[in-house]
Amino acid sequence: MYSAEYFIKNLNLEKHVEGGYFKQTFASSENITSNDLRTKFEGERILWTSIYFLLMDGEVSNFHRLKSDEMWYYHAGSPLTVYMISPEGELTTHELGLNVENGEVPQVLVPKNYIFGSAMNHEGFSLVGCMVSPGFEFRDFELFKRDYLLDLYPQHEEVIVKLTRD
């Protein structure tokens, strides 16, 4: 049986600013401009990027937002809970995993401009993949503070406290 440490070491994962561990694995060799999209970006973007992402027992990926769609794929370990707040303020959750009969799904789409994060609500770890299109760039990444989100969405206090820092 593989462990979180096994994947961190053998996939050369590094600490991620939003929580957990990651490594960019692939990036498109093509670029795209805002003229080709409905979303306005500064300059060109890589068409798509892909990473490994790993959370361990009790860890969370803090609430953040991207200007791009992000597709999540389950790879190994325990299920991972993905939380999303739509631009209209609706909270949805998905269990990323392989036990489909138990409501888990092997892939989840986080639409652009949704505020989202994830949490290990089960023992163990979860290794997933994330593909972002147009490709991920930190200049399109917003990490949220707790008070800001609580002012906007007080009805989601429990999950906001769980997935934010002070």
Side-chain angles (χ1 to χ4, degrees):
M1 185 78 177
Y2 297 111
S3 66
E5 293 76 17
Y6 170 85
F7 287 115
I8 291 167
K9 177 183 175 194
N10 290 293
L11 296 176
N12 298 312
L13 304 181
E14 302 172 10
K15 285 266 191 193
H16 197 293
V17 66
E18 74 195 39
Y21 296 83
F22 85 108
K23 178 171 180 71
Q24 182 170 307
T25 53
F26 300 101
S28 172
S29 61
E30 296 184 43
N31 291 331
I32 194 164
T33 68
S34 289
N35 296 335
D36 302 314
L37 302 166
R38 287 185 225 148
T39 301
K40 295 298 177 199
F41 294 93
E42 294 176 29
E44 289 187 334
R45 291 291 182 272
I46 294 172
L47 191 56
W48 56 266
T49 56
S50 183
I51 66 168
Y52 288 124
F53 185 67
L54 184 142
L55 285 180
M56 291 191 283
D57 206 359
E59 288 186 321
V60 302
S61 164
N62 290 280
F63 269 133
H64 59 288
R65 177 169 48 200
L66 301 177
K67 291 182 177 181
S68 301
D69 290 340
E70 183 168 46
M71 182 64 79
W72 290 55
Y73 302 93
Y74 175 82
H75 290 310
S78 299
L80 181 69
T81 307
V82 179
Y83 299 86
M84 296 183 277
I85 301 175
S86 73
E88 297 77 33
E90 179 185 355
L91 175 68
T92 56
T93 62
H94 298 279
E95 289 294 312
L96 193 60
L98 296 180
N99 190 344
V100 178
E101 292 176 1
N102 200 33
E104 297 172 12
V105 293
Q107 58 187 29
V108 170
L109 174 67
V110 177
K112 66 183 177 184
N113 298 320
Y114 274 53
I115 295 168
F116 68 102
S118 58
M120 275 303 300
N121 295 325
H122 305 275
E123 289 185 19
F125 72 94
S126 186
L127 175 65
V128 301
C130 301
M131 192 197 83
V132 178
S133 180
F136 177 85
E137 292 201 18
F138 271 104
R139 60 182 161 168
D140 301 326
F141 172 86
E142 287 179 86
L143 188 62
F144 291 96
K145 296 280 188 187
R146 180 173 295 154
D147 289 342
Y148 177 79
L149 289 181
L150 286 173
D151 285 345
L152 287 177
Y153 310 111
Q155 70 274 28
H156 305 312
E157 180 178 5
E158 184 178 337
V159 72
I160 288 170
V161 168
K162 181 176 183 155
L163 297 181
T164 55
R165 300 175 188 148
D166 293 331

